[in-house]
Amino acid sequence: MGLSGATAAAAAVAVPAAEAAGAALLLPAYTRPYGAILVLTLLVAFGGAVWRARGRHIDCGCFGSALQEELGAGTYGRIAICASLAVYTLLEADGRSLLAVGTPDLACMALISAGLMAAYVLISSIARHRKSGLTL
């Protein structure tokens, strides 16, 4: 059910490039709708791949080696959250460019994002340890 060698190699380059392009398109206000559509397309494709892989034990790899979690309900939840943010971005047209955000605001956004990711990894790790019966 996986991809062949040449197709897998092409996808390994094309998917991250499309993700980077989507992120870059979200920055200027005039390309934001295209970036949101690209991000939504990638999320739908990923959701379809997760659906096709159901029943198989595959590590999500969503947070690298910080959190090992199999594809499943949590993956669908993250896809739904990201898709809702992309839809909001698509519908919200205030004309402000994210390229005009000041350095203090960017630093604050980066720290909040890192804190949220760290909290998610910590809570998931605690839940995994409790589920396996290990004590901290």
Side-chain angles (χ1 to χ4, degrees):
M1 184 179 264
L3 299 175
S4 66
T7 307
V13 173
V15 171
E19 290 172 344
L25 288 170
L26 290 172
L27 296 176
Y30 61 92
T31 61
R32 191 167 298 132
Y34 305 110
I37 290 170
L38 178 55
V39 168
L40 278 170
T41 302
L42 290 167
L43 287 167
V44 168
F46 182 57
V50 172
W51 179 257
R52 286 185 58 201
R54 69 188 180 280
R56 297 173 40 194
H57 299 286
I58 300 173
D59 182 37
C60 176
C62 294
F63 292 98
S65 62
L67 181 66
Q68 287 160 356
E69 182 177 301
E70 289 187 5
L71 295 176
T75 310
Y76 289 122
R78 285 189 296 279
I79 291 170
I81 290 169
C82 290
S84 66
L85 292 172
V87 167
Y88 175 78
T89 301
L90 184 61
L91 298 177
E92 178 63 28
D94 63 0
R96 291 184 290 170
S97 173
L98 295 177
L99 296 172
V101 174
T103 304
D105 290 333
L106 284 175
C108 185
M109 286 186 261
L111 288 172
I112 289 170
S113 297
L116 289 172
M117 283 183 67
Y120 178 81
V121 169
L122 179 64
I123 291 168
S124 296
S125 295
I126 290 170
R128 187 177 65 243
H129 283 288
R130 284 189 177 166
K131 185 177 180 181
S132 67
L134 297 175
T135 57
L136 297 176

